Amino acid sequence: MRVLVVEDERRLALALKHGLTAEGFTVDVAHDGLSGLARATDHSYDVVVLDIMLPGLNGYRVCSRLRAAGSDAGILMLTAKDGEWDEAEALDTGADDFLSKPFSFVVLVARLNALARRIGSRAPRRTVLGDLVVDSAARTCTRAGTAIPLTPREFAVLDHLARRAGEAVSKREILEQVWDSGPDSDPNTVEVHVSALRRKIDTPFGRAAVQTVRGAGYRLAADGG
Amino acid sequence: MRVLVVEDERRLALALKHGLTAEGFTVDVAHDGLSGLARATDHSYDVVVLDIMLPGLNGYRVCSRLRAAGSDAGILMLTAKDGEWDEAEALDTGADDFLSKPFSFVVLVARLNALARRIGSRAPRRTVLGDLVVDSAARTCTRAGTAIPLTPREFAVLDHLARRAGEAVSKREILEQVWDSGPDSDPNTVEVHVSALRRKIDTPFGRAAVQTVRGAGYRLAADGG
DNA sequence: GGGCAGCTGAAGGCTTGCTGAAGACCTGAA
DNA sequence: TTCAGGTCTTCAGCAAGCCTTCAGCTGCCC
């Protein structure tokens, strides 16, 4: 498992490198935001451990730029203060987890392993369901070889359903994942987009890949409908 | 998602109950270690939020006894001090995550959701009972390969019985788990739905998977009937 | 036979989901 | 800046079908 540690405090960075290496991780180190970002985009890491207080480019920015660049590495932020602001903001910029300094090494390793497990189980970039193909990386969708143009929201909904093909996914979860919104948002928004999606990927082909699971949400048929 | 909060500080416990309920969780509360342990073993929760400083039986003990009892619920510990010892010990006794007091509500919700995701992915997804298959994730039910459409309530009842296949489950418990209701609700509601369930998964196949245990509730035959 | 526990058909009320339309919003070009 | 094109959200009406309640019934046990 490949880990990048971005931490300006040399002593701590070195200690982490040694400790994590001893735990079986493959560890690289960067000492400021810019070089950290460069390394993270050039190489592919499973997890990036990211200090927030960094010279040059702070942790939040590195994090959001990484996400903007399409990185799907797990990001664990190290927050110096333990105020609420830090943590909420870290999650907002796309971090997967965070840890307040000072932290114990045992805990860091536990979190890294948990994170790696989560990341590892992330769905592949291309999902094939019968003659329906959803390519998350290319952001394209084809049915029986025919390319189907989708709006950003439509694709995001389809993509999310495709990652969990065969499973029922609640509107609430779709709202959270696609809209990044709280539980008070209107589920009708999802319904409208699902409706539009069906009109494009199902109706013209006489199929029914997007199934309604009454009371539970929607399910994308594993065989494409 | 069902959450049990074990916290002796009444004011905090109440605030958590209200807040988490508003976030869409189903929340129960216990105020000391013993009753918390009892509730957690009697009912099945997705996540247990566990204070360490508890009267009667402290959080570590509740945690390790829960694990000893075979509980697979996610356990999030609330540590009062933010020393390393607490956290390492929490992880040792089988906790999945912890949070130092004082914590922000936003962060708690984020952690709970993260935990739920992790737990959800390790929970058994399908229950196979002879030729009867109940798939919780897909929310589908098949008998001898034939898909059987069920209404939300019917599925929820079946799912609950399936999770405890072979055991007698009381109507009261079904009411609590499926209907999320108090003990004053009408058990006849359960009877009506069980009746409908039998008509779909048993009668057409000449089977009797859903058995009546007079005076005690219902039992789903471990071999599918 | 009496009493109790459980079963089930029917029906009204109500929730849930779908969809067309309208206006807000965003983005890029002139 | 304004405009045009497209996208997103909100709203309201509608249809489907689910849930609960009730009442009468069966069958078990004493």
Side-chain angles (χ1 to χ4, degrees):
Chain A
M1 177 153 117
R2 300 178 56 80
V3 178
L4 174 66
V5 174
V6 189
E7 165 63 66
D8 60 330
E9 205 182 320
R10 306 251 163 179
R11 184 185 295 257
L12 176 57
L14 198 64
L16 286 180
K17 183 180 170 81
H18 286 161
L20 290 176
T21 302
E23 289 285 329
F25 298 93
T26 305
V27 185
D28 287 340
V29 173
H31 294 291
D32 65 78
L34 269 181
S35 63
L37 184 59
R39 275 208 82 85
T41 46
D42 285 355
H43 306 67
S44 96
Y45 293 96
D46 299 294
V47 180
V48 179
V49 177
L50 192 55
D51 194 5
I52 287 191
M53 303 286 283
L54 285 173
L57 200 64
N58 73 38
Y60 298 139
R61 297 212 175 160
V62 174
C63 184
S64 55
R65 290 210 194 169
L66 257 177
R67 288 299 183 224
S71 165
D72 59 355
I75 297 181
L76 191 152
M77 292 266 234
L78 302 178
T79 63
K81 339 158 220 172
D82 60 350
E84 160 176 352
W85 181 247
D86 269 7
E87 302 178 338
E89 189 165 348
L91 289 174
D92 277 342
T93 56
D96 296 286
D97 205 349
F98 47 82
L99 206 52
S100 298
K101 283 185 180 179
F103 54 87
S104 91
F105 186 71
V106 179
V107 169
L108 174 65
V109 171
R111 291 286 185 84
L112 281 182
N113 280 323
L115 195 50
R117 245 174 288 137
R118 251 191 288 162
I119 303 305
S121 64
R122 279 187 193 168
R125 308 187 159 221
R126 202 152 170 273
T127 311
V128 180
L129 308 162
D131 64 355
L132 180 69
V133 179
V134 182
D135 191 323
S136 309
R139 301 196 81 76
T140 57
C141 164
T142 61
R143 168 76 99 179
T146 312
I148 302 176
L150 296 176
T151 71
R153 287 287 197 228
E154 286 161 7
F155 185 85
V157 170
L158 175 61
D159 187 41
H160 193 73
L161 289 175
R163 283 175 198 276
R164 307 188 45 180
E167 291 179 37
V169 183
S170 72
K171 291 175 201 171
R172 150 172 273 149
E173 183 186 324
I174 297 174
L175 273 175
E176 283 178 12
Q177 299 288 322
V178 173
W179 273 265
D180 212 12
S181 60
D184 51 334
S185 344
D186 189 359
N188 180 240
T189 305
V190 180
E191 291 162 9
V192 170
H193 283 274
V194 165
S195 178
L197 199 49
R198 283 173 168 155
R199 225 175 354 246
K200 291 185 179 177
I201 71 172
D202 277 345
T203 314
F205 301 89
R207 312 301 263 311
V210 184
Q211 304 166 339
T212 301
V213 186
R214 201 156 221 276
Y218 298 96
R219 175 177 50 219
L220 194 60
D223 62 357
Chain B
M1 181 155 115
R2 302 183 58 82
V3 178
L4 175 66
V5 174
V6 188
E7 167 64 64
D8 61 318
E9 207 181 316
R10 305 250 162 179
R11 187 184 294 257
L12 176 57
L14 198 64
L16 287 179
K17 182 179 170 80
H18 287 162
L20 291 175
T21 302
E23 288 286 328
F25 298 93
T26 304
V27 184
D28 287 341
V29 171
H31 293 292
D32 61 82
L34 268 181
S35 63
L37 183 58
R39 273 209 83 86
T41 46
D42 283 355
H43 306 66
S44 94
Y45 294 95
D46 299 298
V47 179
V48 178
V49 177
L50 193 55
D51 193 12
I52 287 191
M53 302 286 282
L54 283 174
L57 201 65
N58 74 36
Y60 297 134
R61 297 215 175 155
V62 174
C63 184
S64 55
R65 289 210 195 167
L66 257 178
R67 289 300 183 222
S71 166
D72 58 355
I75 297 181
L76 191 152
M77 292 267 233
L78 301 178
T79 62
K81 338 158 221 175
D82 59 349
E84 162 176 351
W85 179 247
D86 269 6
E87 300 178 343
E89 188 166 352
L91 289 174
D92 278 346
T93 56
D96 296 285
D97 202 354
F98 48 82
L99 205 51
S100 298
K101 284 186 181 179
F103 54 85
S104 92
F105 186 69
V106 179
V107 168
L108 174 64
V109 171
R111 292 283 184 86
L112 280 183
N113 280 322
L115 195 50
R117 243 173 288 136
R118 250 190 290 160
I119 302 306
S121 64
R122 87 183 177 204
R125 184 192 134 107
R126 296 169 87 213
T127 310
V128 179
L129 307 162
D131 63 354
L132 180 69
V133 179
V134 181
D135 190 323
S136 309
R139 291 191 90 80
T140 56
C141 164
T142 60
R143 167 76 97 179
T146 311
I148 302 176
L150 297 176
T151 72
R153 289 288 198 227
E154 286 161 8
F155 186 84
V157 170
L158 175 62
D159 189 41
H160 192 73
L161 290 174
R163 283 176 199 278
R164 308 188 48 177
E167 294 176 39
V169 183
S170 72
K171 290 176 202 172
R172 157 165 297 182
E173 182 185 326
I174 296 175
L175 273 174
E176 284 180 11
Q177 298 286 324
V178 173
W179 273 264
D180 212 13
S181 60
D184 52 334
S185 346
D186 189 358
N188 179 240
T189 305
V190 180
E191 291 162 9
V192 170
H193 284 275
V194 166
S195 175
L197 199 50
R198 283 173 167 155
R199 209 173 308 132
K200 291 185 179 178
I201 70 172
D202 278 344
T203 314
F205 301 89
R207 312 301 264 307
V210 184
Q211 303 166 340
T212 301
V213 185
R214 212 176 160 77
Y218 299 96
R219 175 178 50 220
L220 193 60
D223 62 356

